[in-house]
Amino acid sequence: PQFEITLGRCDEKGRLEGKVIPGAATLAKKPNSDQAYCIAPAGKSKLVITALNPKGLYYGALTVAQLVAAGRAISGPSTVTLPLVRVVDWPDLSERGVWGGYAVPDLEWMAAQKFNLIENHSNLTLDADGKGVATFDPEVVTRGRLRAMKIVPIITHMDQMQGSGMFTRYPELKGVGPKTQLVPSLQTACWSQPLSVKLLSDWATDLARNPDITDLCIWLSEDPGYCECDQCKGQNQFALEAKACIAAWQ
């Protein structure tokens, strides 16, 4: 006996190659419809997996793969018992994942469980001309794209930028006053200075050049230190940093 599984994108009316797939017309109205999918039998020897876009198709295919694995476990290695299921499924949460480099080795496993987000640190430096340079492993981004996984580069805490070399090259960007280094390993920057914002913009722009990167995560300071220069004095340090992030992105 032969069995066929057809995989394809439907239109908003639930039609795939001109045929209406039962349940598929409801996908456009589901929450997070870009990840929703429909599985329906077509007779006794065919299953159809359809969705409005590739992410949904990927998740529909994963569900059928899980059914195949379970069916093989029941029937033995040479045969598969596969139910003629009817499924309309969608995620309640648009993003499901974790942050940290420890997640990258588990990317394929996470994707198989329908997680779809990993945030991981980028590398921030300055070039010979003093311009901000940010790098991020493009292979990780590609691995994610192929598995409906959003990979988001992190620009680290804004009071932990000394590792980039910005204060070595531009010591004037250090925050002013005794409250800028409450923890020896941290250094508050003066984010009122246009040059600080420019470096942040350089890093963000570098990361955004990869067409598969759609989001950035910029961490505000971890320490409650603050700058007391004439421009920053009396203002909330975290608000200043948030404004610098917006200005850098613009």
Side-chain angles (χ1 to χ4, degrees):
Q2 294 187 355
F3 192 85
E4 178 183 331
I5 298 175
T6 296
L7 181 73
R9 293 172 66 177
C10 64
D11 61 22
E12 291 193 356
K13 295 183 179 180
R15 296 174 301 194
L16 175 63
E17 296 181 336
K19 296 181 180 179
V20 175
I21 307 303
T26 67
L27 293 176
K29 298 179 181 179
K30 299 301 182 183
N32 304 306
S33 60
D34 62 321
Q35 301 178 53
Y37 64 90
C38 174
I39 304 171
K44 295 183 178 181
S45 60
K46 184 176 180 179
L47 271 182
V48 177
I49 309 169
T50 191
L52 295 171
N53 68 42
K55 291 180 181 178
L57 286 176
Y58 182 75
Y59 293 130
L62 282 178
T63 295
V64 172
Q66 291 167 354
L67 293 172
V68 170
R72 182 176 290 117
I74 293 171
S75 304
S78 60
T79 58
V80 175
T81 298
L82 189 63
L84 293 171
V85 296
R86 295 180 183 272
V87 177
V88 176
D89 190 23
W90 65 92
D92 292 321
L93 300 176
S94 61
E95 294 184 348
R96 308 165 299 279
V98 296
W99 72 267
Y102 57 84
V104 172
D106 290 334
L107 189 155
E108 286 75 16
W109 177 87
M110 289 177 60
Q113 314 311 312
K114 299 181 182 175
F115 288 99
N116 70 342
L117 174 68
I118 290 177
E119 297 176 353
N120 193 27
H121 282 282
S122 56
N123 184 47
L124 309 177
T125 58
L126 274 66
D127 65 14
D129 296 323
K131 181 181 178 182
V133 176
T135 56
F136 193 82
D137 189 348
E139 181 186 359
V140 174
V141 180
T142 299
R143 285 166 58 196
R145 176 178 57 80
L146 295 174
R147 296 166 179 83
M149 175 83 71
K150 179 189 290 186
I151 306 297
V152 178
I154 297 170
I155 292 179
T156 192
H157 288 293
M158 295 175 76
D159 59 352
Q160 297 179 21
M161 297 290 190
Q162 59 267 45
S164 70
M166 66 181 289
F167 299 132
T168 301
R169 182 64 181 266
Y170 302 112
E172 68 273 20
L173 297 184
K174 287 186 178 182
V176 175
K179 302 295 186 179
T180 64
Q181 200 169 16
L182 298 179
V183 177
S185 60
L186 307 178
Q187 174 62 61
T188 301
C190 176
W191 292 103
S192 293
Q193 296 197 45
L195 181 55
S196 296
V197 176
K198 180 185 179 301
L199 290 176
L200 193 58
S201 180
D202 289 343
W203 292 324
T205 302
D206 259 5
L207 294 169
R209 285 194 175 97
N210 186 320
D212 292 320
I213 290 177
T214 59
D215 296 55
L216 296 177
C217 183
I218 305 178
W219 288 356
L220 304 186
S221 287
E222 195 167 35
D223 186 74
Y226 54 91
C227 176
E228 295 182 289
C229 73
D230 292 341
Q231 289 77 28
C232 295
K233 192 171 183 179
Q235 299 193 59
N236 181 282
Q237 179 70 24
F238 300 112
L240 286 169
E241 293 173 354
K243 290 177 182 178
C245 291
I246 295 170
W249 185 250
Q250 290 173 338

